[in-house]
Amino acid sequence: MINIVLFGAPGCGKGTQAQRLKERYGIDHVSTGEVIRDEIRRGTELGRSMEEYIREGKLAPDEIVIGMIEHYVTEHMNARGCIFDGFPRTTVQAEEFDKILAKHGLQVDIMVDIHVPEEELVRRILLRGKDSGRADDTSEEVIRGRLDVYRMQTAVVADYYAAQGKYASVNGTGTMEEVFGRIADVIAGLK
Ligand code: AP5
Ligand code: MG
């Protein structure tokens, strides 16, 4: 069983790498951003309450995202483990996540922090925005705002896992295969 927190700024490749890790290791993948976008697509009450946060590139309230993850862990955790993509994004979320996992006798094994220079992040997201249909991908102003939110509210979560000796940083530039190789090396080092 291996639980991986895939971390890093918007556009660093969390979703891309999560998909590959899922295939390689046969573990689950949950992205809180995807869960929120799905709620919005389905027009649920929760989705409607989230629309503005997503459109403006702001973080959704902790209690709502923590509730989503608690539901996910309770319903889906399988014996092999899971990749948590885009969660936790605040220290409060990280603390509550530990408690939720502990209730199920589980824990985070490693946070993998994917580093990419800011201009490359903006370039990647603008490119994806041409056909992603994501409300937060099209305007450079919103994209830069998401990067500010990451720097000011989220980056600190790395310290939480570093303090537990569960932190690894990888270079997120180069081809998708190269980045995957670096993450696979970190995972191999865990065993
Ligand atoms: P979320 O959906 O998590 O978005 P994000 O963190 O902004 O990250 P992205 O999904 O944009 O990028 P990614 O790192 O997954 O990169 P990707 O693989 O797609 O969150 C969206 C919103 O939901 C938040 O702003 C917030 O409002 C809310 N939210 C979510 N979680 C929350 C939480 N925990 N608390 C509160 N609010 C929350 O790659 C990006 C692009 O680059 C793709 O086109 C890809 O093909 C390309 N690419 C990938 N790797 C490479 C490479 N090596 N070389 C070149 N291109 C590459
Ligand atoms: Mg993503």
Side-chain angles (χ1 to χ4, degrees), residues 9 13 44 67 78 83 90-91 101 104-105 108 119 128 146 157 163 177 185 189:
T44 64
N78 76 18
I83 303 147
T90 63
T91 302
L101 290 173
H104 297 268
V108 168
E119 290 313 308
R128 183 183 61 189
R146 285 162 63 194
V157 180
E177 288 70 26
D185 285 346

Side-chain angles (χ1 to χ4, degrees), residues 124-160:
R124 285 185 190 181
I125 300 175
L126 280 172
L127 194 66
R128 183 183 61 189
K130 287 181 182 169
D131 57 12
S132 70
R134 275 180 56 165
D136 56 352
D137 272 1
T138 45
S139 134
E140 184 163 340
E141 193 187 340
V142 171
I143 294 168
R144 291 199 183 272
R146 285 162 63 194
L147 296 175
D148 289 343
V149 167
Y150 174 78
R151 241 184 286 108
M152 291 187 292
Q153 296 178 257
T154 301
V156 67
V157 180
D159 298 343
Y160 181 85

Side-chain angles (χ1 to χ4, degrees), residues 160-181:
Y160 181 85
Y161 289 97
Q164 295 184 13
K166 294 178 176 176
Y167 175 82
S169 164
V170 301
N171 173 0
T173 62
T175 67
M176 296 175 193
E177 288 70 26
E178 284 167 343
V179 178
F180 180 73

